[in-house]
């Protein structure tokens, strides 16, 4: 069975601080995808990244970076120099590799950035 | 990127009535569509997976006779909540899959009074 665990329910930091959101996953598949989504108060999911299980290279996109460690089944997300606009709920997710695979979500981490 | 729309974006209905939510892939054909439900301050829980022209596959614990899913074409799937009750009030999100990419709709907020 597939499972995604986001142990941090809520995080609150002051603006400009760096913050890391943890994600640990379980799967029996040898190939899979990992995702991060942002859900602002409007509710619409915003896609942030998809990572193929073959590729363990870390990814950086502006203030966002992702650390994929297959050995520990983790896919952590770091926001550098956080801003108030980063306040949202962030979901880590997992899916199989086939075109029919469904995306399974973690419980989410509510991030609040205080001015 | 590809766009998935949902209609309506929000709906209020009376207990005992049925409500239909549409999910459309606007610029691509979706062989598979997914329906998720999200209660306040909770995660997205997959309700069912539907493939065009065939019956939907429901997740454990989801009543298929209550949540009717029709995937009539490669661009349209509908979710009908039958005999809605206040506990069905939730945020319903659809997702459409094209090849190996999956796109999410903006969600429909259902309130049953």
């Amino acid at each position: 069975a597939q499972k995604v665990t986001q142990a941090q329910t809520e995080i609150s930091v002051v603006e400009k601080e760096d913050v890391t959101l943890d994600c640990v996953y379980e799967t029996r598949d040898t190939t899979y995808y990992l995702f991060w989504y942002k859900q602002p108060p409007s509710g619409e999911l915003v896609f942030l990244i998809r990572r193929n299980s073959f590729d363990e290279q870390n990814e950086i996109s502006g203030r966002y970076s992702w650390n994929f460690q297959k050995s520990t089944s983790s896919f952590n997300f770091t926001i550098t120099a956080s801003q108030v606009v980063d306040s949202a709920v962030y979901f880590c997710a997992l899916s199989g590799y086939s075109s029919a695979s469904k995306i399974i979500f973690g419980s989410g981490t509510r991030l609040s950035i205080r001015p | 990127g590809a766009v998935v729309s949902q209609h309506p974006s929000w709906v209020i209905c009376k207990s005992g009535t049925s409500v239909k939510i549409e999910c459309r892939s606007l610029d691509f054909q979706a062989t598979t569509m997914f329906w998720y439900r999200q209660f306040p301050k909770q995660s997205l829980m997959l309700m069912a997976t539907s493939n065009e022209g065939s019956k939907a596959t429901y997740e454990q614990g989801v009543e298929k006779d209550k949540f009717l899913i029709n995937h009539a074409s490669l661009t349209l799937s509908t979710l009908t909540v039958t005999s809605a009750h206040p506990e069905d009030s939730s945020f319903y999100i659809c997702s459409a899959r094209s090849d190996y990419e999956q796109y999410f709709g903006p969600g429909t907020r259902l309130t049953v009074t």
Side-chain angles (χ1 to χ4, degrees), chain B residues 45-98:
Chain B
M45 300 303 296
L46 182 66
M47 299 174 68
T49 302
S50 74
N51 292 293
E52 186 262 338
S54 61
K55 289 185 179 180
T57 302
Y58 291 81
E59 295 297 303
Q60 194 171 8
V62 178
E63 300 174 57
K64 61 181 180 182
D65 294 331
K66 180 170 182 62
F67 298 99
L68 302 179
I69 292 172
N70 186 332
H71 193 157
S73 74
L74 287 171
T75 59
L76 173 64
S77 176
T78 60
L79 168 67
T80 301
V81 183
T82 62
S83 187
H85 290 110
E87 56 265 32
D88 298 324
S89 298
S90 188
F91 192 52
Y92 292 86
I93 303 172
C94 77
S95 176
R97 187 142 190 167
S98 167

Side-chain angles (χ1 to χ4, degrees), chain A residues 39 45 91 105, chain B residues 36-38 42-46 93 104:
Chain A
Q39 188 177 43
L45 283 178
F91 291 100
F105 287 82
Chain B
Y36 292 81
R37 179 169 55 181
Q38 185 181 28
Q42 293 189 25
S43 185
L44 285 76
M45 300 303 296
L46 182 66
I93 303 172
F104 286 85

Side-chain angles (χ1 to χ4, degrees), chain B residues 8 10-14 17 19 109-113:
Chain B
W10 60 270
V11 57
I12 301 173
C13 71
K14 292 193 174 181
T17 61
V19 60
R109 196 164 300 281
L110 169 64
T111 301
V112 185
T113 60

Side-chain angles (χ1 to χ4, degrees), chain A residues 33 37 39 42-45 50 91 95-103 105-107 110, chain B residues 32 34 36 38 41-44 46 49 59 91 93 97 99-102 104-106 109:
Chain A
Y33 288 114
Y37 289 89
Q39 188 177 43
S42 66
E44 185 163 357
L45 283 178
R50 182 182 74 175
F91 291 100
S95 81
Y97 214 67
S98 77
S99 59
S101 294
K102 49 197 177 185
I103 295 179
F105 287 82
S107 55
R110 184 174 299 275
Chain B
T32 305
F34 305 87
Y36 292 81
Q38 185 181 28
K41 297 195 175 183
Q42 293 189 25
S43 185
L44 285 76
L46 182 66
T49 302
E59 295 297 303
F91 192 52
I93 303 172
R97 187 142 190 167
D99 296 329
Y100 291 91
E101 299 287 344
Q102 190 164 335
F104 286 85
R109 196 164 300 281

